[in-house]
Each structure stands twice: as structure tokens, then as C-alpha cells.
Amino acid sequence: IASFLVAYVLTLLPASLWSLPLFYTYELRLPAPFDGLNHVDWLNVFSLLKPQWTLLLVIYWSLARPYIMGIVFAWLVGLGLDVLRVGLIGEYALVFSIVCYLTLRIRRHLLYFHVVQQMVVVLGLLLIGQFLVFWIQAMIGHPPYHSSYWLSSVGGALLWPLLVWMLPKPEQ
């Protein structure tokens, strides 16, 4: 629908406006010893680390407010994501429920860990979630074939300290 709206708006504009640049890009050049890094497409490198925001937030809220945001909440969020992604219904509901259950099992220990130690545990939880999605997709015949599939867990773990800093503190 969004692409249809953009195409419709572009048809309303005069053709002379289409040739105007919408975004200006600036190039940052590194010194000569690091010249090889100038040829790396950094946007693609960072796009490989895009985190699974919904699973990351389910983990956070099951830690912060376990009596409000429990397994049923994780199941409902997963079911909503299944409906939005128009995929296999129940896939993310199952994955989010299992990861939420594991988070609730280790909650008391995890709250006393330092943020760096929490990052390692969150990385494990995100990898478990991704493995479950991978397994379900492989069972129906659509496994992801690129090796960068697993890097989004690393991106989520790297964003964990920022998430802990921005959101309310967990209840003890």
C-alpha cells in the first residue's frame, strides 16, 4: 500500500521535480593506511546487524514486569507479529512464548548480573529464538540460506545496554 501511495504522489508531481536529488550524501574519507576501509559499503554492514526488536522487547518486559508481561503477553505479541508478517500463524507466537519462559526461569539471576553479563545471556536468548524460527522454517521448507541470518542476534545483544538505560528499571 505504501509503494502505491508513493507512486500515486509521484504522478501528481511535475516531471521536472523528479530529477531533483532528494538526499545529499557526503563521503567520509579515511587516511591512507586505512584506505581499504573506504571501499566498504558500511550501510550494508550495519544492516546485517539489525536486531529483532520485538523479541528484544519481549525479553526486556518479561524481565522488568513479569507479572504483567508474561508468557501470555509474549504469545499475543508473537501472534500479532505472525498476522502482520502474513506467514505461518503461530510461528512467532511459539518462539516468543518459549523465549519468554526461559527468560522468566532465569529472571532472578539475570537481574543481579552486570549489563555486560546480561548482554551475553540476551545474546543466547536471541540465538535460541532465531534457531527456533530457523527450525520451523526448515520444517516447512523455507530455511534462510544466507549466513548473515544469525548476525541480527549480535545486533540485538549490542543494543541491550541502550535498551536497559532507556526503559524503566526492572522490579526486584
Side-chain angles (χ1 to χ4, degrees):
I1 292 175
S3 60
F4 173 74
L5 291 175
V6 169
Y8 178 71
V9 168
L10 285 177
T11 59
L12 297 176
L13 295 174
S16 61
L17 289 179
W18 291 3
S19 62
L20 293 176
L22 296 178
F23 299 102
Y24 292 101
T25 59
Y26 298 98
E27 186 176 331
L28 176 65
R29 299 292 296 179
L30 295 173
F34 304 104
D35 191 44
L37 295 176
N38 287 329
H39 304 292
V40 175
D41 187 6
W42 290 107
L43 288 178
N44 284 336
V45 170
F46 289 124
S47 71
L48 293 175
L49 295 174
K50 62 182 178 217
Q52 302 172 346
W53 285 106
T54 47
L55 185 56
L56 201 59
L57 287 172
V58 163
I59 291 170
Y60 178 81
W61 286 113
S62 62
L63 277 175
R65 307 287 188 265
Y67 302 109
I68 299 170
M69 315 291 187
I71 296 173
V72 174
F73 170 75
W75 184 80
L76 290 172
V77 169
L79 194 61
L81 188 61
D82 287 331
V83 169
L84 288 175
R85 295 189 114 190
V86 190
L88 184 65
I89 298 294
E91 174 184 6
Y92 284 97
L94 175 68
V95 169
F96 287 7
S97 299
I98 291 172
V99 171
C100 182
Y101 171 76
L102 293 173
T103 304
L104 290 174
R105 291 289 296 171
I106 61 172
R107 178 183 182 272
R108 288 188 180 151
H109 301 288
L110 195 56
L111 288 177
Y112 293 107
F113 287 173
H114 188 266
V115 175
V116 176
Q117 293 170 323
Q118 287 180 358
M119 272 179 32
V120 174
V121 174
V122 167
L123 174 65
L125 290 169
L126 290 172
L127 283 172
I128 288 171
Q130 273 196 297
F131 175 74
L132 290 171
V133 169
F134 178 82
W135 181 65
I136 292 170
Q137 290 293 320
M139 294 293 280
I140 62 171
H142 303 308
Y145 291 110
H146 50 87
S147 60
S148 63
Y149 171 76
W150 303 99
L151 287 178
S152 65
S153 294
V154 175
L158 290 175
L159 286 174
W160 181 255
L162 181 66
L163 199 67
V164 169
W165 177 71
M166 286 175 40
L167 294 174
K169 300 297 176 228
E171 297 173 353
Q172 294 292 333

